[in-house]
Amino acid sequence: MISVNEARERILSHFQPAAIESLALIACANRVLAVDITAAHDLPLFDNSAMDGFAVCADDTSASGTTLRHAEPRSVSNRQATTLQQAQGITLSVVADIPAGSAPTVTLAKGEAARIMTGAQLPAGANAVIPVEDTDFNNREAGIPAPKTISFAKIVKTGDNVRRRGMDIQAGAVILSKGRTLKPQDLGLLAMLGIGNVQVYKKPRVGLLSSGDELLDVDAPLESGKIRDSNSYTLAALIESAGAEVLRLGVAQDARESVEALLQKAVHEDADFILSSAGVSVGSFDFIKTVIESKGRLDFWRVNMRPGKPLAFGEYLDKPVIGLPGNPVSAFVGFEIFVRPVLGRLSGKLDGSRRTVYVRSEKEIESDGRESYLRAKIREENGVLTAGLTTSHQGSGNLLSLVQADALLIIPAGVKCVPAGQEVEAYLL
């Protein structure tokens, strides 16, 4: 048996990122960038108001500004009183009304203001915005015309409530890097920058098959000695969760001709690689290894891990094949440890593996010396993550224990006992 790390590296060495395609922005959610994205222009595009209010020149709100009348006294704190003494009852003439989406044509002179909406471009001569609620203009219903004058008792500074051109992004800056999985907010930013088509890596395409005469379709009536095919559903969902497409090949019977027909189908339909479950152990009816070797080669077929020791990797007609065990938990663990990183590399991701954290073991854990991936539940107490094995047993056919888990504890090879309270690494599910 070879180690988990060696098996993973030998598998990954056969894969490189897929081809690149140009997609409309609307189709790019969760796709992986194939190039760096550079801003063609500044954001914001122009100085604009951060709120509804009045665009002013900040100097007009200072003690040396235009004072036409005094404001009525009001109850204020000592700190506020100092500010109000510097700006008692300033009144400005309102000479323009600027909605969002319009290009202002007015230039503010001394003592003038313009009503302005959130996002609207500042007129020339303005360098600050007074929020409407800080003025004496109280009628804010839609359709009400701008007042002739506004009065206020507040000093504003240059830049107050203004979103300056280029304060978020400057032209020429790299804003999204190659290898990033595009999130919803990324698409919004690309739309802001006018990028309607994006270079992304093509989705990997995985040919998926199950193997075994004992397998029934999910809606078939149960028969003696038969079980329902669960792995095809689990593995297909895992493939899609990794951002890849599934080519469902079906169930191969325990006959060489049946296995060969499905492998040929995957080659014919140009899957990036073939993923099978079951049929890779040493049973008398396990034909997948035999068929692979008949028209290709087998690199290895046993890994020093638990669960999932019978894991095969090779090539069939130059098409990579990963053969997972048939037990449901073993197939799941094998996917996470070996297949998810492959899909990450094919997709162009910087890192396709699940995140790991360190947790403390709640109780002593025994292992058999193989690298083990044990189903566990994590809880946090006083900022410390602790983990305990799921209540049901750890048998590789017990899918319920995996449903109950939110992590896989990683017990290194050679370790047969983890004391209570010791830190161990864990994959977060």
Side-chain angles (χ1 to χ4, degrees), residues 135-417:
T135 73
D136 64 348
F137 181 61
N138 295 318
N139 195 339
R140 303 166 194 167
E141 295 180 7
I144 299 299
K148 299 296 184 183
T149 64
I150 54 162
S151 296
F152 52 92
K154 184 175 183 179
I155 292 175
V156 297
K157 303 184 295 296
T158 298
D160 279 359
N161 304 312
V162 173
R163 296 183 288 218
R164 291 291 189 188
R165 173 175 179 166
M167 70 182 293
D168 298 342
I169 296 172
Q170 295 186 349
V174 175
I175 56 160
L176 297 174
S177 298
K178 175 182 176 180
R180 179 184 178 92
T181 301
L182 290 171
K183 303 174 184 177
Q185 57 267 40
D186 299 338
L187 303 190
L189 183 59
L190 292 171
M192 275 186 170
L193 291 166
I195 299 174
N197 286 83
V198 185
Q199 299 289 310
V200 296
Y201 289 106
K202 285 187 175 181
K203 281 187 174 185
R205 198 158 183 254
V206 183
L208 176 64
L209 67 98
S210 299
S211 173
D213 284 347
E214 73 276 17
L215 299 179
L216 295 173
D217 289 338
V218 66
D219 54 356
L222 285 175
E223 302 174 25
S224 180
K226 304 283 189 178
I227 61 173
R228 294 192 175 98
D229 174 23
S230 63
N231 283 352
S232 65
Y233 290 90
T234 302
L235 293 173
L238 286 169
I239 291 167
E240 290 173 348
S241 77
E245 294 180 356
V246 183
L247 170 61
R248 288 180 176 270
L249 301 172
V251 176
Q253 300 304 306
D254 289 331
R256 179 180 179 130
E257 297 77 12
S258 180
V259 171
E260 190 164 16
L262 295 189
L263 295 182
Q264 289 281 7
K265 182 179 179 182
V267 172
H268 178 72
E269 299 198 24
D270 199 28
D272 288 294
F273 70 95
I274 302 166
L275 180 65
S276 69
S277 67
V280 295
S281 191
V282 293
S284 300
F285 298 95
D286 292 340
F287 286 100
I288 289 182
K289 296 200 309 292
T290 302
V291 174
I292 290 173
E293 291 177 314
S294 70
K295 294 185 179 178
R297 63 178 186 83
L298 196 64
D299 192 330
F300 61 85
W301 64 278
R302 289 193 303 173
V303 179
N304 187 30
M305 64 184 292
R306 177 175 71 109
K309 179 177 71 173
L311 181 131
F313 176 69
E315 290 183 344
Y316 178 79
L317 294 176
D318 297 324
K319 189 72 66 177
V321 181
I322 301 175
L324 299 176
N327 281 320
V329 178
S330 300
F332 181 97
V333 172
F335 181 95
E336 291 296 339
I337 306 307
F338 302 106
V339 183
R340 189 176 290 276
V342 165
L343 292 176
R345 177 163 292 186
L346 283 171
S347 301
K349 294 179 182 178
L350 299 179
D351 183 7
S353 301
R354 286 196 187 271
R355 187 165 67 95
T356 63
V357 296
Y358 280 91
V359 299
R360 291 181 183 174
S361 174
E362 288 182 351
K363 298 179 180 179
E364 181 179 280
I365 299 174
E366 293 184 355
S367 184
D368 67 355
R370 287 179 287 169
E371 184 163 321
S372 299
Y373 297 83
L374 306 181
R375 288 139 272 171
K377 289 191 70 67
I378 292 178
R379 63 183 179 86
E380 183 177 356
E381 186 174 344
N382 298 324
V384 177
L385 295 177
T386 60
L389 301 185
T390 49
T391 54
S392 51
H393 68 85
Q394 293 280 315
S396 57
N398 183 8
L399 197 56
L400 178 60
S401 66
L402 187 57
V403 171
Q404 295 171 336
D406 49 30
L408 294 174
L409 300 187
I410 306 171
I411 311 301
V415 175
K416 293 191 175 182
C417 180

Side-chain angles (χ1 to χ4, degrees), residues 11-230:
I11 292 173
L12 284 172
S13 67
H14 288 76
F15 295 92
Q16 296 300 323
I20 296 172
E21 60 183 350
S22 179
L23 289 184
L25 181 60
I26 196 170
C28 287
N30 298 316
R31 299 300 293 269
V32 181
L33 272 178
V35 294
D36 291 342
I37 299 291
T38 302
H41 54 69
D42 296 338
L43 281 181
L45 288 164
F46 44 78
D47 293 353
N48 69 88
S49 178
M51 56 182 58
D52 295 340
F54 294 87
V56 299
C57 175
D59 287 347
D60 284 347
T61 73
S62 67
S64 60
T66 305
T67 303
L68 301 182
R69 65 180 176 82
H70 291 287
E72 292 297 322
R74 58 180 178 172
S75 176
V76 295
S77 66
N78 291 336
R79 183 177 179 183
Q80 290 173 320
T82 302
T83 300
L84 291 174
Q85 288 172 4
Q86 299 175 40
Q88 280 292 327
I90 293 174
T91 299
L92 302 177
S93 299
V94 179
V95 297
D97 200 5
I98 308 172
S102 64
T105 57
V106 68
T107 298
L108 297 189
K110 186 175 178 62
E112 293 181 340
R115 185 167 73 164
I116 193 166
M117 300 297 108
T118 302
Q121 184 174 352
L122 257 65
N127 58 19
V129 172
I130 297 176
V132 65
E133 56 267 27
D134 290 340
T135 73
D136 64 348
F137 181 61
N138 295 318
N139 195 339
R140 303 166 194 167
E141 295 180 7
I144 299 299
K148 299 296 184 183
T149 64
I150 54 162
S151 296
F152 52 92
K154 184 175 183 179
I155 292 175
V156 297
K157 303 184 295 296
T158 298
D160 279 359
N161 304 312
V162 173
R163 296 183 288 218
R164 291 291 189 188
R165 173 175 179 166
M167 70 182 293
D168 298 342
I169 296 172
Q170 295 186 349
V174 175
I175 56 160
L176 297 174
S177 298
K178 175 182 176 180
R180 179 184 178 92
T181 301
L182 290 171
K183 303 174 184 177
Q185 57 267 40
D186 299 338
L187 303 190
L189 183 59
L190 292 171
M192 275 186 170
L193 291 166
I195 299 174
N197 286 83
V198 185
Q199 299 289 310
V200 296
Y201 289 106
K202 285 187 175 181
K203 281 187 174 185
R205 198 158 183 254
V206 183
L208 176 64
L209 67 98
S210 299
S211 173
D213 284 347
E214 73 276 17
L215 299 179
L216 295 173
D217 289 338
V218 66
D219 54 356
L222 285 175
E223 302 174 25
S224 180
K226 304 283 189 178
I227 61 173
R228 294 192 175 98
D229 174 23
S230 63

